[in-house]
Amino acid sequence: MKGLIIILLAVSIVVSDQNPIFLNETYYSGFINVTQKSDLFYILFESRSKPSTDPLLLWLNGGPGCSSLLGLFEENGPFKINNDTTLNNNPFSWNSKANLLYVDQPVGTGFSHAGPGDLVKSEEEVRQDFYDFLTQFFDKFPQFIGREFYISGESYAGQYIPAISRKILSEKNPKINFKGIAIGNGWVDPYYQQPAYGQYAYENGLINQTEYKSVSNYFSICQVLIKVGSPYFLKSHFCDLPYEKIVGNNTFNVYNIKQPCIGSGCYDDQDQKIENFLNRTDVQSLLGTQSRVWNACVNNVYASLQKRGFRSSTQDLQVILNSGLKVLIYNGSLDYQCNYIGNEQWLENLSWKHQTEYVKQQYSSLQKGDQTIGREKSVANLQFQIIFEAGHMVPMDQPEIALEMINSFLQN
């Protein structure tokens, strides 16, 4: 009898929901404990196409400490939020041909809870917590065992995704049919991405030549300090100072240089709409989050990982690429914060078995009908795309193009 009760409880946990509030999308939500005191919140949306056979696609936002529900509601999820905190259908949702999973991580992010002493301080801790989450997730949703699995995300997820992916590869878990990763506007290698702030600003008319020469001197010192592994306070001073000189003297939106910046995060009005929606008592009841307070980005999670901000994730990416996993790196051309110039440079200097071929490869145009929508270069299992007229959040600025991009990636 006791065994029957346990089985029934397990089944009840994973029963899907449909509700008019969520426009009758089929979804699952809940919490999975990664330590005795801490858990990760997830919400999973079934594919709009073939949920029983379509791949499982994970999405992670960055920060560090920013909720993946930002991606859900602002970028590539099934909904957009109206001003009256109701939802509107997003025809370009990434669950068009994939089962789409959002996770608030690391612990303490979004709806996820961090117990005393459990805030992560390194990518090693991030990947261990997330691997613990994944193993329990596949046990909880056995329909995804052996199904093609992909990880996607943006910004500081350029640190998370390679670390988590390398952990998955090392574990060789037969339940996880890991196929590839997609990183958008990623923060991957500060050695190359820090000086790119000056070059991008100059090439896009955000600073003049005199200002460019001035900040370039600081960025040169910044690079040396990163290379020799100097103390954090030194790197922070010489790397942050020229960045602040560029941004502080301008009013441009660092996430899209052609758009206005509203509030300290530039998209504060959109973040507030998400917060208002998630604070609705009926929404909290549906998600099981009645005892939780959601924040778009959590300061103590950021502070706990802040000193890792000068880390490179390229060693992890070398392992991933050499393993044969598919890798898509993409950038919006209008993003300053993690701009394409910095990503171009770390990709050119990434040591892996097809590096020589990649460096020799020329860009080709990305076309949508007669329209040129970007450029790309692709060698073996690595693909790099620059999407025109898009900023840091490519699926928000170019939703149709972003959907075609991810579907093409998932379907080879």
Side-chain angles (χ1 to χ4, degrees):
M1 182 65 178
K2 183 180 178 181
L4 177 60
I5 291 172
I6 292 172
I7 291 171
L8 289 173
L9 284 172
V11 171
S12 68
I13 290 171
V14 297
V15 169
S16 65
D17 286 311
Q18 287 183 324
N19 191 282
I21 291 174
F22 290 105
L23 308 182
N24 293 316
E25 291 276 346
T26 302
Y27 73 95
Y28 309 76
S29 64
F31 298 89
I32 290 179
N33 281 87
V34 292
T35 72
Q36 289 185 338
K37 301 172 290 185
S38 302
D39 57 37
L40 297 181
F41 173 78
Y42 68 88
I43 184 165
L44 166 68
F45 294 95
E46 282 194 351
S47 169
R48 290 172 172 176
S49 182
K50 299 175 181 177
S52 62
T53 56
D54 281 343
L56 176 64
L57 174 63
L58 167 70
W59 173 267
L60 300 175
N61 275 82
C66 291
S67 169
S68 294
L69 303 191
L70 292 169
L72 192 169
F73 291 111
E74 291 181 352
E75 299 188 65
N76 52 23
F79 321 112
K80 299 293 184 180
I81 299 181
N82 301 315
N83 290 330
D84 62 355
T85 71
T86 59
L87 298 181
N88 187 36
N89 175 64
N90 176 17
F92 306 114
S93 174
W94 283 16
N95 74 327
S96 75
K97 294 183 179 179
N99 297 281
L100 186 56
L101 173 65
Y102 297 88
V103 183
D104 276 343
Q105 69 86 49
V107 294
T109 301
F111 277 132
S112 298
H113 175 69
D118 275 359
L119 286 176
V120 297
K121 298 180 179 63
S122 69
E123 276 64 39
E124 290 73 24
E125 294 177 4
V126 168
R127 72 188 184 191
Q128 185 59 58
D129 279 356
F130 203 84
Y131 184 74
D132 290 343
F133 168 88
L134 274 182
T135 56
Q136 294 180 72
F137 177 87
F138 279 95
D139 287 339
K140 199 170 185 178
F141 295 91
Q143 65 266 39
F144 294 115
I145 292 175
R147 193 91 62 90
E148 289 191 352
F149 174 59
Y150 294 84
I151 304 177
S152 63
E154 72 187 14
S155 197
Y156 198 83
Q159 295 290 317
Y160 296 148
I161 293 173
I164 292 167
S165 300
R166 189 172 181 179
K167 173 68 173 175
I168 295 171
L169 286 173
S170 70
E171 293 292 336
K172 299 179 181 177
N173 189 329
K175 294 181 180 180
I176 305 175
N177 184 15
F178 192 24
K179 289 296 187 180
I181 64 172
I183 300 173
N185 297 76
W187 186 247
V188 172
D189 193 341
Y191 180 82
Y192 296 103
Q193 290 184 264
Q194 286 283 352
Y197 285 132
Q199 185 179 345
Y200 184 92
Y202 178 61
E203 290 184 7
N204 286 274
L206 303 174
I207 57 175
N208 60 37
Q209 189 173 33
T210 302
E211 292 170 320
Y212 178 43
K213 289 180 179 178
S214 173
V215 297
S216 293
N217 292 330
Y218 280 98
F219 281 129
S220 295
I221 299 171
C222 165
Q223 276 193 308
V224 172
L225 295 174
I226 291 173
K227 188 172 185 177
V228 301
S230 296
Y232 173 79
F233 76 91
L234 277 177
K235 289 182 287 192
S236 180
H237 175 75
F238 283 98
C239 298
D240 292 350
L241 185 63
Y243 173 91
E244 293 298 334
K245 279 190 172 184
I246 296 169
V247 175
N249 293 332
N250 292 276
T251 57
F252 66 90
N253 181 338
V254 296
Y255 302 111
N256 187 317
I257 61 172
K258 286 189 176 181
Q259 291 183 355
C261 182
I262 300 173
S264 59
C266 285
Y267 295 95
D268 289 5
D269 55 338
Q270 296 185 48
D271 295 352
Q272 187 60 55
K273 285 198 294 185
I274 298 174
E275 185 175 342
N276 292 342
F277 175 77
L278 293 174
N279 282 336
R280 285 174 47 178
T281 55
D282 52 352
V283 172
Q284 291 176 339
S285 178
L286 291 171
L287 295 178
T289 57
Q290 296 93 325
S291 61
R292 306 290 175 103
V293 175
W294 183 85
N295 290 294
C297 297
V298 181
N299 290 333
N300 62 352
V301 178
Y302 173 85
S304 186
L305 281 167
Q306 186 175 10
K307 291 186 178 180
R308 302 288 287 180
F310 294 104
R311 173 187 181 272
S312 170
S313 63
T314 52
Q315 288 188 341
D316 294 332
L317 281 166
Q318 289 168 3
V319 173
I320 293 162
L321 281 165
N322 287 332
S323 77
L325 283 180
K326 294 191 296 181
V327 176
L328 167 65
I329 307 295
Y330 65 91
N331 266 84
S333 65
L334 303 178
D335 179 31
Y336 175 77
Q337 192 68 9
C338 297
N339 61 69
Y340 72 87
I341 292 176
N343 278 277
E344 275 183 326
Q345 291 178 0
W346 70 254
L347 278 164
E348 294 282 334
N349 289 277
L350 183 66
S351 178
W352 65 297
K353 60 186 179 183
H354 293 288
Q355 179 188 12
T356 302
E357 298 166 61
Y358 181 82
V359 171
K360 290 179 179 178
Q361 182 71 262
Q362 299 296 310
Y363 280 106
S364 59
S365 293
L366 281 171
Q367 298 291 132
K368 184 173 175 61
D370 295 332
Q371 181 187 8
T372 301
I373 59 171
R375 52 188 173 135
E376 70 169 344
K377 58 190 305 187
S378 179
V379 168
N381 51 318
L382 173 62
Q383 188 176 20
F384 178 47
Q385 294 193 358
I386 300 170
I387 307 299
F388 297 160
E389 298 303 313
H392 193 69
M393 284 75 83
V394 173
M396 180 173 71
D397 295 331
Q398 293 287 358
E400 185 175 2
I401 291 169
L403 176 60
E404 291 179 0
M405 174 191 71
I406 199 66
N407 282 344
S408 175
F409 175 68
L410 296 177
Q411 298 163 24
N412 296 309

